[in-house]
Amino acid sequence: QVHVVESGGGFVQAGGSLSLSCEASGSIFTIVAMGWYRQAPGKERELVATTNAGHSTNYADSVKGRFTISRLNAQNMVYLQMNSLKSEDTAVYYCNVRGYNSERKVFDAWGRGSQVTVSS
């Protein structure tokens, strides 16, 4: 079984910065991709940023230039640095990890989420 745990987030005023961390553990053979998604009240979950084993990255247009995703392969960790935060960034942020487990089967695991609140 693969476990995903987020940390960080919190409350900040508009224009401020926050960071999120995520660690995957358990029966992992290899991780293919890690990423961050968010869900605001009354809205569907949406992609924020993803990164793969080759460290290539993909960002939602709404966060480009403000958010940075980075990955530490050796420790199965991924980070999200969020700068110039806006009130519309307020959401629960979820970490997603995809790869192959120790039985060489595909897994797609999610964390429980971390609240980010930006006041205007």
Side-chain angles (χ1 to χ4, degrees), residues 31-93:
I31 291 176
V32 174
M34 304 181 82
W36 294 94
Y37 293 73
R38 67 186 181 187
Q39 187 166 17
K43 295 188 177 181
E44 301 212 345
R45 190 173 297 188
E46 63 177 4
L47 178 147
V48 176
T50 61
T51 181
N52 62 21
H55 297 276
S56 64
T57 57
N58 179 48
Y59 293 92
D61 288 342
S62 59
V63 306
K64 283 181 181 176
R66 300 188 298 121
F67 290 13
T68 302
I69 188 170
S70 58
R71 177 175 170 180
L72 194 61
N73 286 345
Q75 296 181 9
N76 292 337
M77 295 192 70
V78 66
Y79 306 91
L80 186 69
Q81 178 64 40
M82 302 178 289
N83 299 326
S84 302
L85 282 160
K86 305 175 181 179
S87 57
E88 51 262 45
D89 295 318
T90 295
V92 177
Y93 284 69

Side-chain angles (χ1 to χ4, degrees), residues 15-33:
S17 299
L18 287 172
S19 61
L20 296 169
S21 300
C22 170
E23 181 176 12
S25 62
S27 304
I28 297 171
F29 173 67
T30 189
I31 291 176
V32 174

